[in-house]
Amino acid sequence: EGHLSRGGEGARRAISMSMRGARVLGGRSTAAGPRRAAVAVRAEAEGARRRGGSVSGKATKATTSAKTASVGGRSIEELRREMAQLQEQIHHAHLEAHVQGQRVEEALDDLRGLGERSRELEASLFDPAPSTSAASATEQEQEQAVQRAASTSSVAPDPAEAQQQRLSLKTKDLKSDLTCPTELKEFWHPVEFSKTLTSDKPSTFDVFSMDLVLTRCAETGAVRCVHLAKEGEKEIPTSEKDGFVWVWLGAGPAPAPDADVAQGGIPGFTTPPNAFHEDKPFTIHAELLIDVEVEHGLLLENLLDLAHAPFTHTATFAKGWSIPDLVKFNTSKLLGGNWEPYPIDMSFEPPYMVLSTIGLMQPGKLEEGARAAACQNHLHQLHVCLPSSKGTRLLYRMSLDFMNFMLYVPFAKKVWETMAGQVLGEDLRLVQGQEDRLKRGGDTWANPVPYDKLAVRYRKWRNALGDKEKRKAAEAALRTTMSAGDMLSPDLDEARDTTTTTSANSANASNQ
């Protein structure tokens, strides 16, 4: 409007100028003056029109520019389209959350149903006359096995013999209990670390329901052990070897400490193992004494059960361990080898020791698929699990062939104690649950599985202590060191024959 107004003002100026020119020229300009004025008016009007059109074009461009203005490099139209897409995604997310909520509810219903079924089965364990419908699948399979055996026999089976077969299939010397066999006393027992016992600090504790006091003579350094019995003090045979104080608690005379192990002498496996590399011998880094509130046999079974580690010790030493791969086991077996999921070697030594060696390519990092001997660094552990009134008197020794600088680090022992406490804390949740089941009459060996072979061998040995022949056979099976591949191999033949090697600790974990 301003441009048009200015255009009209120009027309008026042109008319005024032409009128002045007409007066100056007189009559000669009377006709030409108005024509010039008209031409001037048309010229000014055309200029005004053009200027107005230019402003209108600028306004149109301004409107278009506003529509295409960028925010963070994107136009308003693009932002609008993105907003619409986000709203669509939110809508789908709401629908998905609703579906997931329904699935969670269904899963909780399934869990509640399993809980009810578990309580029914638990009650049936204590039912003196369970009905046929409540019989477990394991018992049915055992019955079928007996029937198949009878059907293939040329002689009619004796009913009493068939019943005995059923019982033997169910137990097979794989039954845990909380009683301590008296035969376990007939060994030399490592009850204290030598460096812990000083002349000014006696050691008082109990093992095998016996209150013992250890003292060291300040002059000779000799160790003396006394049993504080009701009838008075009784001297106990004592010896020192490999950094341990050993005592003889058996009823008969003590064998010579340096006699052969078969003759009852002190074994030699409590010393750190031979070096894997000549320039890297093992050095003892930690010796810890811990009272564990769980029966020592159950703790031993747990220590011998490598399969539970990647499930139970996820916050400590087994953090990041993979689950053993069945395909790799079977493939290696077909190729005539054995798959090694972890570089770990382990063994049980009577009456209650567990030895293990872990190979590490780097400190704190396992090398899957390798044997311990092939690794650059090694950690060796010795667990001594003595039965006590508190449950277990655990003596733990750790040796390394690397990280010797830790020997000079202040408070290093506190570091190892903290780590050991965390590992035992993870185990206790499992093992104390098993102990509770036993106290309530449950059977922690109801479902033996193939990957706890060492635990089975220990339990069969312990249950055979009263039978010389069975004990001899069980000890022969024990005298081997097994790799992780040996222990975790899903050997179905062994799983079927519980008289050789199968166990239940991992199954116990699932039962808890």
Side-chain angles (χ1 to χ4, degrees):
E1 289 178 354
H3 279 282
L4 293 175
S5 175
R6 287 192 295 273
E9 182 66 25
R12 285 193 294 273
R13 285 198 301 272
I15 293 172
S16 175
M17 290 173 63
S18 64
M19 292 296 291
R20 286 196 299 273
R23 284 195 297 270
V24 171
L25 295 173
R28 287 183 297 122
S29 301
T30 302
R35 284 196 297 271
R36 292 193 187 96
V39 171
V41 168
R42 283 195 297 271
E44 283 295 326
E46 181 66 19
R49 185 184 65 78
R50 290 177 179 175
R51 287 191 295 274
S54 174
V55 171
S56 176
K58 291 179 180 179
T60 302
K61 291 180 180 179
T63 302
T64 304
S65 176
K67 289 182 179 180
T68 59
S70 65
V71 177
R74 291 175 294 178
S75 69
I76 293 176
E77 290 299 324
E78 290 174 341
L79 291 174
R80 285 175 178 171
R81 287 194 298 270
E82 186 173 344
M83 180 64 72
Q85 292 174 357
L86 288 174
Q87 290 173 342
E88 184 69 18
Q89 292 174 5
I90 291 172
H91 175 68
H92 286 299
H94 280 300
L95 292 177
E96 184 67 21
H98 179 69
V99 172
Q100 292 294 339
Q102 289 181 332
R103 291 175 179 172
V104 170
E105 286 297 325
E106 292 173 359
L108 289 174
D109 289 339
D110 292 341
L111 286 175
R112 283 189 283 269
L114 290 173
E116 290 293 332
R117 178 59 178 160
S118 176
R119 284 188 287 273
E120 292 174 2
L121 292 174
E122 187 75 16
S124 68
L125 288 174
F126 306 102
D127 187 354
S131 63
T132 303
S133 60
S136 66
T138 302
E139 291 173 342
Q140 293 175 1
E141 292 174 0
Q142 293 167 355
E143 178 71 23
Q144 293 172 1
V146 172
Q147 291 176 356
R148 286 194 298 270
S151 64
T152 57
S153 175
S154 59
V155 180
D158 182 14
E161 183 180 351
Q163 177 65 16
Q164 185 62 35
Q165 287 178 334
R166 295 187 187 96
L167 293 175
S168 64
L169 281 171
K170 183 176 181 179
T171 57
K172 285 296 183 184
D173 300 324
L174 294 179
K175 187 173 179 61
S176 295
D177 59 56
L178 301 176
T179 61
C180 186
T182 58
E183 291 84 0
L184 282 179
K185 290 184 178 181
E186 304 297 322
F187 292 87
W188 281 99
H189 303 279
V191 294
E192 185 63 271
F193 293 110
S194 292
K195 72 175 186 180
T196 304
L197 185 63
T198 58
S199 59
D200 60 342
K201 188 178 180 182
S203 179
T204 303
F205 54 90
D206 76 273
V207 291
F208 293 98
S209 302
M210 300 172 65
D211 294 323
L212 304 178
V213 179
L214 289 176
T215 57
R216 186 184 293 279
C217 178
E219 296 180 358
T220 64
V223 177
R224 180 171 179 259
C225 181
V226 174
H227 174 210
L228 303 178
K230 293 181 180 179
E231 57 274 12
E233 294 185 358
K234 179 183 176 182
E235 189 85 14
I236 298 294
T238 308
S239 182
E240 283 192 270
K241 181 180 179 181
D242 298 334
F244 285 97
V245 177
W246 301 73
V247 298
W248 175 265
L249 303 177
D258 57 354
D260 188 76
V261 175
Q263 304 302 319
I266 295 177
F269 55 76
T270 52
T271 186
N274 295 327
F276 286 93
H277 308 285
E278 292 184 2
D279 58 336
K280 298 179 64 176
F282 278 96
T283 305
I284 297 174
H285 279 245
E287 291 182 337
L288 309 177
L289 175 60
I290 307 170
D291 289 316
V292 185
E293 296 182 353
V294 71
E295 194 268 335
H296 86 287
L298 293 178
L299 181 60
L300 278 167
E301 291 175 3
N302 179 268
L303 292 171
L304 294 167
D305 172 25
L306 188 59
H308 81 283
F311 302 97
T312 304
H313 299 290
T314 55
T316 53
F317 73 89
K319 184 177 182 180
W321 285 22
S322 63
I323 309 303
D325 192 331
L326 180 62
V327 174
K328 291 181 180 179
F329 273 118
N330 292 336
T331 302
S332 298
K333 189 173 182 179
L334 289 173
L335 296 176
N338 197 29
W339 167 243
E340 298 293 338
Y342 318 124
I344 299 176
D345 294 335
M346 187 178 291
S347 66
F348 169 78
E349 295 291 344
Y352 38 63
M353 292 89 156
V354 177
L355 292 86
S356 59
T357 301
I358 303 174
L360 303 167
M361 285 299 185
Q362 300 175 14
K365 183 178 180 181
L366 284 176
E367 182 73 15
E368 295 185 8
R371 289 293 299 265
C375 295
Q376 194 68 26
N377 305 304
H378 302 87
L379 180 153
H380 179 75
Q381 300 179 106
L382 168 65
H383 293 82
V384 178
C385 302
L386 288 150
S388 72
S389 60
K390 295 180 180 179
T392 302
R393 178 179 173 84
L394 172 63
L395 280 73
Y396 172 77
R397 173 184 281 173
M398 182 187 72
S399 304
L400 303 173
D401 64 358
F402 65 106
M403 287 180 63
N404 283 342
F405 67 88
M406 286 294 292
L407 296 171
Y408 311 101
V409 174
F411 311 113
K413 183 178 179 180
K414 288 294 182 183
V415 174
W416 303 131
E417 286 178 345
T418 300
M419 292 175 60
Q422 290 174 344
V423 173
L424 283 173
E426 292 173 327
D427 280 324
L428 284 179
R429 300 187 190 98
L430 171 67
V431 185
Q432 287 177 341
Q434 295 173 349
E435 187 173 38
D436 178 66
R437 281 181 57 82
L438 284 174
K439 290 179 179 178
R440 292 186 290 112
D443 182 7
T444 58
W445 291 91
N447 300 290
V449 292
Y451 9 93
D452 293 327
K453 302 174 180 66
L454 272 178
V456 165
R457 295 180 183 187
Y458 156 70
R459 180 54 63 177
K460 289 173 60 181
W461 170 83
R462 173 169 162 165
N463 292 346
L465 287 175
D467 187 316
K468 290 184 178 180
E469 292 300 321
K470 287 185 177 181
R471 175 176 174 175
K472 184 178 180 181
E475 286 186 355
L478 281 174
R479 302 293 181 182
T480 56
T481 297
M482 301 184 74
S483 69
D486 296 329
M487 288 182 282
L488 299 177
S489 174
D491 194 326
L492 297 180
D493 292 334
E494 288 190 302
R496 294 189 187 100
D497 183 8
T498 56
T499 62
T500 53
T501 50
T502 45
S503 180
N505 221 351
S506 293
N508 296 339
S510 61
N511 290 339
Q512 300 310 321

